[in-house]
Amino acid sequence: MAAIWAGIDAGKTHHHCVAIDESGRRLLSRRVANDETELLELLADVLVLGDEVTWGIDLADGGAALAIVILLNHDQPVHYISGRAIHRASESYRGEGKTDAKDAAVIADQVRVRHDLHPLRTGDETVTDLKILTGRRMDLVADRTRTVNRLRAQLTGIFPGLERTLDLTNTGPLTLLTGYQTPAAIRRIGTKRLETWLRNRKVRSADQLAETAVQAAERQHTSLPGEKLTAELVHTMAKEVMALNQQVAELDKAIEARFRDHHAFDVITSMPGLGVILGAEFLAATGGDMGVFGTPDRLAGFGGVAPVPRDSGKISGNLRRPQRYNRRLQRVFYTSALFSIRHCAESRRFYDRKRAEGKRHTQAVLALARRRVNVLWALLRDGRRYELTPPTALAA
């Protein structure tokens, strides 16, 4: 049986494919458009070269999505190798030049010699939808953060006292800024009328917000250059932030509705600190199939919460934070661990113990996150909800 290895250097409009045999000899090298017809022709031509073909590709989604789905639909084994790994591996191959053909050949050869590459599988439809929804949410949150920062900068330029006292992540202060942005305007309306104006717009604690704004206005009687134009910009950006808040809220509802369709919803959300959004992001980052990782240690390594050794010569026992990991998944593990410290007594005791051992805050949270990976792994493996006392302990 002739074995063939094919590497695809994926691009937005075109891919380059190189197929090699067991000796590393190139059997095919072709540039193809990111088009179904051409990709099917490529697949047929590669299959003619051997009895068994193993594919490698340097992207797991995006521009490579069509090629991956076509290969998987034809029962072809496909492995993912990161662009960073390809770049490092290419240094050991002859020649300093970089071309798509060389990268594709490196991918094919790495798939041939390595047995630890991540296999790509047909994704669960619910997980695919959650990837799209959570990705969109991350974009909106990033846009909101940038807009709030710009809003703060503009407001500081004309009314620093008000900027210091307002929490611009809340709806009330944003509503205030859609109507009044300058000290003179707030002084003119006064506390009572401003409170009524805010109440008519359903702002919570309107009396406190109105009083705070008027007090800030009383402390500044100087009109700064560009105040009128800046006030208009503050008005516009406050409305933009409110619109983004509304979009995020609507997206959160869509994420929850889709997440509830997944069979592991009850298991994941039973874990202290893992709510709907973080649980959905966990599924989006991992695919929900723990069999892909094999062990909780590999999942922890993929999520960046497992230290890696850094030994050399006579120096041993050194540990450091990993450099290669899924940052999105690490954020899920780290943030959920922080929430669990607040709401779970067991997590709090573990965190306090690590702090008493001399670990810094971040180290203690990461240690808790690593421990929680084992628990979450076991829950997903057994398909059961989190319980403070495990069933085995109850049986004993």
Side-chain angles (χ1 to χ4, degrees):
M1 178 181 291
I4 301 297
W5 291 266
I8 298 178
D9 180 54
K12 182 179 178 180
T13 59
H14 289 81
H15 309 313
H16 199 104
C17 177
V18 169
I20 62 175
D21 60 15
E22 58 184 7
S23 66
R25 181 171 61 93
R26 292 192 187 187
L27 305 177
L28 175 146
S29 179
R30 183 189 302 175
R31 187 171 186 258
V32 297
N34 191 10
D35 176 80
E36 182 174 355
T37 302
E38 292 201 26
L39 290 171
L40 288 172
E41 291 177 0
L42 172 68
L43 173 61
D45 292 343
V46 172
L47 291 177
V48 170
L49 299 175
D51 301 313
E52 180 181 347
V53 182
T54 303
W55 299 77
I57 195 164
D58 62 342
L59 288 177
D61 49 23
L66 178 59
I68 292 171
V69 171
I70 288 175
L71 292 174
L72 294 178
N73 286 346
H74 287 79
D75 300 321
Q76 297 295 298
V78 186
H79 297 270
Y80 167 71
I81 179 170
S82 69
R84 184 175 182 177
I86 297 166
H87 175 70
R88 290 183 172 180
S90 65
E91 296 176 355
S92 62
Y93 290 80
R94 184 172 56 190
E96 296 183 4
K98 182 188 183 307
T99 65
D100 292 344
K102 180 182 178 181
D103 288 345
V106 171
I107 293 171
D109 197 49
Q110 287 294 297
V111 174
R112 179 178 68 90
V113 300
R114 291 181 59 175
H115 303 284
D116 61 340
L117 296 178
H118 183 70
L120 298 178
R121 303 180 183 181
T122 303
D124 181 275
E125 191 68 25
T126 302
V127 173
T128 301
D129 290 347
L130 288 176
K131 286 181 181 179
I132 297 171
L133 291 172
T134 55
R136 174 58 178 162
R137 187 182 190 277
M138 290 177 65
D139 291 340
L140 289 176
V141 170
D143 290 342
R144 181 175 62 185
T145 300
R146 284 191 291 268
T147 307
V148 168
N149 289 339
R150 295 188 189 109
L151 174 57
R152 287 192 177 280
Q154 294 292 342
L155 186 58
T156 300
I158 60 171
F159 199 170
L162 185 61
E163 188 276 332
R164 285 196 305 270
T165 60
L166 296 184
D167 182 359
L168 296 182
T169 61
N170 291 334
T171 303
L174 292 171
T175 303
L176 169 67
L177 293 179
T178 61
Y180 302 93
Q181 306 85 25
T182 64
I186 293 178
R187 283 197 305 272
R188 279 195 301 269
I189 191 173
T191 304
K192 290 299 182 182
R193 285 194 295 162
L194 181 56
E195 178 184 341
T196 302
W197 187 87
L198 292 170
R199 288 190 187 280
N200 290 339
R201 286 154 182 79
K202 298 180 171 32
V203 173
R204 295 181 180 179
S205 303
D207 55 340
Q208 297 178 13
L209 179 58
E211 185 177 354
T212 298
V214 172
Q215 287 178 355
E218 292 293 346
R219 292 193 296 269
Q220 179 179 329
H221 290 265
T222 303
S223 177
L224 301 181
E227 183 177 82
K228 183 177 179 181
L229 180 57
T230 303
E232 294 176 1
L233 293 177
V234 168
H235 164 83
T236 301
M237 285 188 286
K239 284 196 167 185
E240 289 177 2
V241 176
M242 293 177 68
L244 288 169
N245 284 341
Q246 181 64 29
Q247 292 182 57
V248 171
E250 293 173 355
L251 204 54
D252 286 350
K253 294 179 182 178
I255 290 173
E256 180 175 1
R258 200 68 183 100
F259 186 18
R260 286 184 180 277
D261 293 337
H262 197 272
H263 63 86
F265 173 81
D266 291 333
V267 175
I268 294 175
T269 54
S270 70
M271 187 81 176
L274 267 179
V276 171
I277 301 302
L278 289 178
E281 290 187 359
F282 169 78
L283 276 182
T286 63
D289 183 5
M290 297 298 100
V292 172
F293 300 97
T295 66
D297 294 336
R298 290 193 63 185
L299 175 61
F302 181 67
V305 294
V308 295
R310 191 176 186 179
D311 299 340
S312 179
K314 296 181 179 180
I315 301 175
S316 62
N318 285 345
L319 297 175
R320 64 171 176 83
R321 295 182 64 178
Q323 301 297 314
R324 292 177 292 169
Y325 56 89
N326 186 301
R327 280 157 175 75
R328 186 176 182 182
L329 185 58
Q330 188 199 52
R331 189 182 72 83
V332 171
F333 287 151
Y334 188 87
T335 306
S336 65
L338 279 177
F339 286 147
S340 71
I341 292 171
R342 302 176 189 172
H343 305 291
C344 177
E346 287 294 318
S347 295
R348 184 72 205 189
R349 279 194 289 270
F350 181 89
Y351 170 81
D352 290 340
R353 186 167 74 248
K354 291 300 177 181
R355 292 285 283 164
E357 293 172 1
K359 294 188 181 296
R360 297 189 300 272
H361 168 73
T362 301
Q363 293 175 319
V365 175
L366 285 172
L368 174 60
R370 175 63 186 90
R371 182 185 181 97
R372 285 164 51 84
V373 169
N374 289 346
V375 177
L376 183 58
W377 174 276
L379 295 179
L380 290 169
R381 179 197 62 198
D382 300 339
R384 61 182 176 84
R385 294 170 57 86
Y386 175 84
E387 299 176 44
L388 188 59
T389 305
T392 52
L394 291 174

